[in-house]
């Protein structure tokens, strides 16, 4: 029943927010959203303007996909960058959840063309090609504050994700790096989006250590990253394991709260 699904989505979204904060993927900034199960083509769920580590189910607000405005005009203030979410949901019907984050581990890969490919099976969802880099200066000139401030900015970013219906395939692009800003990633479900965010950050950390071992970023190109078949097969295996990771991350939150 949609109402049960809605209650479950509020709980999962607040847990997902706190898991991302616990892993250092988001800090005072960054956000995670999912489609509203009551009306998934019209609305999405995203917290009010609040640090992700503090989000509780009652902080989640319903937003319109059409223009990123609140369904209820009396809702509390939202994140400035919520057009990231609305425009991706508007353009890509198979996206069920989105994480936008400024992880310092991921930022370097948006600044110059260092390969950002899967170094191990847990990051196979990235696919065998490096993700696109969104450079706000390309579309909006050299004089912005780097933020996605409106639907025009959001639409430009959203256009770099793979068109439907390829999201479950590794020929898709679930991740877009954002120069001088961070990254945004998509998934068909909320738990999978959180899973992907954790392993995107781990992949970045492993690549950074590989770069040191290899004698510099220019040598990373020689690494034997996962090929397309390995990505496809590994992704299929991992898709059944998301719940296992989610449960341990929730337990970590509970233990940290003691
Ligand atoms: Zn941002």
């Amino acid at each position: 029943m949609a109402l049960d699904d809605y209650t479950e989505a509020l709980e999962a979204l607040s847990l997902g927010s706190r898991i991302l904060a616990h892993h250092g993927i988001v800090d005072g900034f960054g956000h995670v959203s999912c489609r509203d199960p009551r009306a998934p083509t019209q609305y999405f769920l995203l917290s009010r303007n609040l640090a992700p580590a503090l989000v509780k189910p009652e902080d989640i607000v319903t937003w319109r996909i059409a223009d990123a405005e609140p369904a209820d005009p009396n809702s509390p203030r939202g994140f400035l960058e919520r057009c990231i979410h609305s425009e991706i949901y508007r353009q890509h019907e198979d996206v069920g959840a989105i994480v936008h984050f400024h992880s310092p581990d991921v930022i370097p890969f948006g600044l110059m063309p260092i390969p950002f490919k899967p170094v191990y099976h847990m990051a196979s969802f990235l696919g065998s090609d490096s993700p696109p880099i969104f450079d706000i200066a390309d579309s909006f000139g050299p004089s912005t504050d780097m933020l996605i401030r409106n639907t025009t900015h959001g639409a430009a970013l959203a256009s770099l994700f793979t068109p439907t219906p390829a999201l479950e395939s590794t020929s898709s692009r679930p991740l877009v790096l954002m120069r001088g800003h961070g990254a945004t990633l998509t998934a068909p479900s909320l738990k999978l989006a959180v899973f992907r965010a954790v392993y995107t950050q781990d992949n970045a950390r492993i690549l950074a250590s590989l770069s040191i071992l290899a004698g510099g970023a220019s040598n990373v190109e020689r690494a034997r990253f996962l090929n397309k078949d390995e990505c496809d097969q590994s992704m299929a295996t991992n898709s059944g394991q998301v719940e296992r990771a989610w449960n341990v991350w929730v337990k970590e939150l509970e233990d940290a709260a003691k």
Side-chain angles (χ1 to χ4, degrees), residues 43-64:
Y43 299 110
F44 66 100
L45 305 173
L46 175 68
S47 117
R48 67 185 173 94
N49 190 347
L50 188 66
L54 306 178
V55 172
K56 297 191 186 71
E58 56 267 33
D59 297 310
I60 311 286
V61 175
T62 304
W63 305 92
R64 296 198 299 242

Side-chain angles (χ1 to χ4, degrees), residues 29-31 81 84 100-102 146-148 178 181-184:
F29 302 90
H31 20 89
E81 292 197 293
I84 292 174
H100 171 66
F101 55 110
H102 310 152
M146 309 306 285
L147 300 182
I148 304 297
M178 301 164 74
H181 184 164
T184 299

Side-chain angles (χ1 to χ4, degrees), residues 138-162:
D138 288 347
S139 307
F140 303 101
S143 190
T144 69
D145 65 1
M146 309 306 285
L147 300 182
I148 304 297
R149 288 187 153 268
N150 52 49
T151 52
T152 311
H153 291 167
L157 172 67
S159 71
L160 294 184
F161 290 86
T162 304

